[in-house]
Amino acid sequence: MENTGKNSVYRVQGFTCTGCAAIFEKNVKELPGVHDAQVNFGASKLTVIGEASLEELEKVGAFEGLKIYPEKQQRTMQLESFWKKQATRTTLVSLLFFLAGWLMAEQDGKDSLSSVLLYGTSILIGGYTLFRKGLRNLVRLQFDMNTLMTVAILGAAAIGEWGEGAVVVILFAISEALEGYSMEKARQSIRALMDVAPKVATIRRGNQEMQLDVEDIRIGDIMIVKPGQKIAMDGIVVSGTSTVNQAAITGESIPVVKETDDEVFAGTLNEEGMLEVRVTKRVEDTTIAKIIHLVEEAQAGKAPSQAFVDRFAKYYTPAIMIAALGISVVPPLLFNGAWSEWVYKGLALLVVGCPCALVISTPVSIVTAIGNAARNGVLIKGGIHLEETGHLSVVAFDKTGTLTKGLPEVTDFVRLQGPEDNVLLAIAAAMEKWSQHPLASAIVRKAEKQASDWDTLKVEEFSSITGKGAKAVVHGERYYIGSPRLFEELLADGIEKGIKKSIELLQRQGKTVVLLGTEQAILAVIAAADEVRETSKDVIRKLRDLGIRKTVMLTGDHKATGEAIAKAVGIDEVKTELLPQHKLEAIKELKAHGKAAMVGDGVNDAPALAAADVGIAMGGAGTDTALETADIALMADDLTKLPFTIKLSRKTLQIIKQNIAFSLFIKLAALLLLVPGWLTLWIAIFADMGATLLVTLNGLRLLRVKE
């Protein structure tokens, strides 16, 4: 959607079907001050580019009784009771008139004036909203379910089938009400996220404490969070220690200890101690706000199956209209058939051809699945990614921070020549201080314990050597630190055999080796080990049980180290000594064997994440890069969410296929009844209503999928 003016976002209450949402979007686009508009049916949101007042928007949505208000307005949309809805009450009144008409028909005859009047009143009361939409669409030659039903009901009345017309009105109204209620229930799984974070917080500015709305809180404010309170804003703990339940963000049920300098998120629950938190993000930029935004945007993007259904319905509905017209007109005109009989059959075809169940079958499943995932700490950024995940057969993992904890510790420091151990360690740490390599932090931590004054060393001319290491000038001499491959290229005669054997021995133990030296010699061998996550082996086993054919580890580490880790966790294949571009090439190769996912940290693995059919980032909470780069973000730094995500995606695919197949089967079965003349109007609408209700309830089963 091209931005050519003011961008305004609104919440919409009252959508009952995707067709009505499409009509509303078209109406908004036709407003004089509007350049463009986009309706997100799943999230009940409207985005307007241009100028339009609330009155204008509600006026063009009046056909559906839509209520509209600005997105930022502090208001919670509650799931209105089914029995309190206006449509439900209208349907009940219509039902009472129908029952009265039926009693009169039993007493005075089917075509008695009293029964016809009562049936007619039932049709007008129950079908008033339907007729307004249907007749308007008929005039514009827009053929949707409202048009089909309007023609069918008015046609039934025209041939004297007043009672059946009234039954169709009542059953269609019940179907619409149940469909709308079920869709709202699916949306509630997303809206529940909006109520996670408090709307007010206690803020201290200077010596004064005050209660402020979250919109009025500024970056740098000190927020006071008492035990048992929810944290209202993202920030950094400046005072206090407590355990915080982060389930709302990460899906983790086990509370996490938070101390000074730890990050906390809006919507999480402070359990034990008092915390003072320095606010680091505005309310619209908090992690929970980003999750809500991305989840709602995910609902707007159509999954392949939904796009197929929409295209099918576009041609299917007019085809049903033409077929019904043919059945009604051709036999009486060409074969002397009875007009009343064939017109009735044509009307029955219109009713049974209504695509309600088919159109709702996919959106309700997608919205429910994405909402369930979000509540369990998995952010799926669109229906297309949900479906792609369901088709996965290959999963590739980065090693560091994904299969391992990402916090390596130095296990061996072997001085070969040159200055003393502590001096060499200090030089290594001073250089690695500027490096982004995961092992750099391990060397710095080692120096902090053993080498005094390492951080006072003057490091000059530091530069990174991509994928291999770094170089810098310390005390006037140029040093190099990096992988054995770097020194094979650097030293005129390569690495000595004795040193090579020591390196290989360390690598076979699953350790990563870093060398420190100059252009003439290697001065020290440093080995570090990154502890494997306790859950990694179990996750790989669960993936295999789910039918994932191949698991692969992609790492920049040496072959021996990579193979040791892969063996420990049960990975099928390992590719080692890979630079970022090599990981990208590896993913392209894996895609030749089937749908492939890449699981990484969302930073170093960005090219591979982007190239994979599904990019899955670890630890999305508080990490903008992970949220932006990946198709799916596991909000906790927890790999166990991966099997759950694949299980949910496959269940969603299964339910979508069931819904589409069931919807089409019901239509076909009803059409077969048309041939011997057994299909009545009330059976047709009952079949359609039953199908709609069943596919909706089937979609809502996705709320029950657990880890």
Side-chain angles (χ1 to χ4, degrees), residues 281-299:
K281 295 178 182 176
R282 293 184 58 80
V283 64
E284 61 269 22
D285 298 323
T286 60
T287 300
I288 189 70
K290 285 181 179 177
I291 291 171
I292 292 165
H293 174 73
L294 289 168
V295 167
E296 290 185 332
E297 290 303 305
Q299 295 175 31

Side-chain angles (χ1 to χ4, degrees), residues 241-314:
T241 301
S242 183
T243 54
V244 174
N245 188 325
Q246 300 190 141
I249 302 290
T250 65
E252 294 174 297
S253 57
I254 300 171
V256 179
V257 175
K258 297 289 181 179
E259 300 173 334
T260 304
D261 294 335
D262 285 341
E263 187 175 17
V264 293
F265 307 111
T268 57
L269 177 66
N270 179 28
E271 293 195 335
E272 293 175 348
M274 173 89 76
L275 291 177
E276 292 188 8
V277 177
R278 186 179 71 253
V279 175
T280 55
K281 295 178 182 176
R282 293 184 58 80
V283 64
E284 61 269 22
D285 298 323
T286 60
T287 300
I288 189 70
K290 285 181 179 177
I291 291 171
I292 292 165
H293 174 73
L294 289 168
V295 167
E296 290 185 332
E297 290 303 305
Q299 295 175 31
K302 290 183 179 176
S305 57
Q306 188 175 346
F308 160 75
V309 167
D310 289 347
R311 285 196 305 273
F312 180 81
K314 182 180 177 182

